[in-house]
Amino acid sequence: MNQEVRLCEVGPRDGLQMAKGMMPAADKLRWIRQLADAGLREIEVGSFVSPRLVPQMADTGAILPEVLKMDGLTVCALACNLKGAIAAHEAGAHVLSFPVSVSDTHSRANVGKGTDAQLEVLASIVDWAQSQARPMRIDAAVATAFGCSMEGAVPVRRVAQVAAAAARAGADEIALADTVGYAYPSQVRDAVRATQDAVGERLAKLHLHDTMGLGLANALAGLDEGIRGFDACLGGLGGCPFAPGASGNIVTEDLVFMLESMGYRTGVDLPRLLAARALLASALPRESLRSGVAAAGIPRTFRA
């Protein structure tokens, strides 16, 4: 069994996009450096979206070239259309995260297009990226894969269909995203199995939220089905501005504690990761940071 688990810290993007207040660019860079120094090798540093709609991401183009100077770091950025994808590539992003919602209603609220139209945009981005001299990995984030606060239940069959369409469009990797945090473990199991049947190993990770308090349980269900990649956010911040009821991501600190305790290798130094909370707390004093490990302290029984 593969004991390596790849973590992507999404705090600088998903964690900040709904934050109360703006984190200064200098603090973002210091925080990303601390995350990288703690051993996180993949970080989503921001998004190339309308600064009018998501002002917290307006400085992504300025900070991304600075982040690229950090050795050994895979730098990810999100974009919702071809214009944003081109901007991400020109700024030097190694990975583009592209959202495709299973819920047509959420897709229209989030990106202004229905699901099928967004899949066509994904295909155009892949075609453009493949014509460039520098490669850029294209990840399709299959959003609202476990339920939608506007449409309600999302059929597993439809999740697999959208994932398969994203694979046909040329996505290098696919993630199933619990955008509003409604998932529960048996649902995660069923969706992962159906998607694996549809796209095989291209299903690389889960993006989980903790709205109902089941985030780590859902991660464990994914692990049991062979998933070895997860998005997470320091302090459990985050949410989608265009999905009513969406709340924070699974907590990176607690996920690392669980994985390392179980014998999985994340490459993350837990004490150094916890130390990175201080800058986040001081830069965003109106935000409440979560974490059982941070509240209780690392137990003496813990062995990385």
Side-chain angles (χ1 to χ4, degrees):
M1 184 173 63
N2 179 13
Q3 295 295 104
E4 299 280 351
V5 175
R6 190 181 85 194
L7 301 183
C8 178
E9 171 61 49
V10 298
R13 197 277 302 174
D14 196 335
L16 298 184
Q17 68 180 5
M18 288 182 65
K20 305 177 189 73
M22 303 282 285
M23 192 173 192
D27 286 341
K28 279 188 189 180
L29 287 169
R30 288 173 55 214
W31 182 40
I32 292 169
R33 166 60 73 185
Q34 290 179 354
L35 294 169
D37 287 346
L40 287 158
R41 303 266 50 89
E42 190 167 307
I43 300 177
E44 194 173 69
V45 303
S47 58
F48 289 88
V49 295
S50 168
R52 178 179 58 84
L53 297 175
V54 191
Q56 295 90 339
M57 298 292 104
D59 59 1
T60 299
I63 69 168
L64 198 148
E66 296 301 314
V67 177
L68 287 166
K69 298 175 184 177
M70 301 179 190
D71 291 338
L73 186 63
T74 298
V75 178
C76 311
L78 178 141
C80 302
N81 52 38
L82 179 58
K83 178 182 177 181
I86 293 172
H89 186 275
E90 289 177 346
H94 302 131
V95 180
L96 179 77
S97 177
F98 184 82
V100 180
S101 184
V102 181
S103 161
D104 200 71
T105 305
H106 175 260
S107 184
R108 293 181 188 281
N110 191 41
V111 300
K113 290 182 175 63
T115 303
D116 291 341
Q118 186 69 345
L119 285 163
E120 293 176 2
V121 176
L122 172 61
S124 69
I125 289 172
V126 170
D127 287 345
W128 180 87
Q130 290 177 346
S131 70
Q132 305 306 302
R134 184 183 71 81
M136 180 173 67
R137 194 179 90 207
I138 310 294
D139 291 358
V142 178
T144 62
F146 303 97
C148 174
S149 53
M150 292 174 279
E151 284 193 7
V154 173
V156 169
R157 178 175 55 84
R158 178 60 177 161
V159 175
Q161 287 174 344
V162 172
R168 290 194 298 272
D172 296 299
E173 294 188 4
I174 292 170
L176 295 184
D178 186 17
T179 308
V180 290
Y182 291 174
Y184 48 89
S186 62
Q187 183 188 25
V188 170
R189 178 200 65 206
D190 293 344
V192 167
R193 289 180 180 178
T195 306
Q196 287 171 333
D197 288 344
V199 304
E201 293 184 357
R202 241 189 279 199
L203 175 58
K205 68 176 178 178
L206 296 178
H207 176 103
L208 301 170
H209 286 241
D210 203 34
T211 307
M212 311 307 289
L214 294 175
L216 288 184
N218 292 331
L220 184 58
L223 280 169
D224 289 344
E225 297 304 320
I227 297 296
R228 292 297 181 267
F230 297 92
D231 288 345
C233 177
L234 194 78
L237 297 179
C240 176
F242 308 105
S247 63
N249 292 265
I250 54 173
V251 180
T252 309
E253 309 92 295
D254 295 353
L255 179 62
V256 168
F257 174 79
M258 183 184 81
L259 292 171
E260 293 280 342
S261 296
M262 294 174 65
Y264 292 96
R265 293 183 295 275
T266 66
V268 177
D269 183 311
L270 188 54
R272 296 185 79 171
L273 183 63
L274 289 172
R277 290 169 57 95
L279 176 57
L280 182 60
S282 64
L284 296 173
R286 297 167 60 196
E287 292 293 335
S288 298
L289 304 185
R290 296 182 293 116
S291 169
V293 177
I298 301 174
R300 295 180 64 181
T301 56
F302 177 71
R303 295 291 182 272

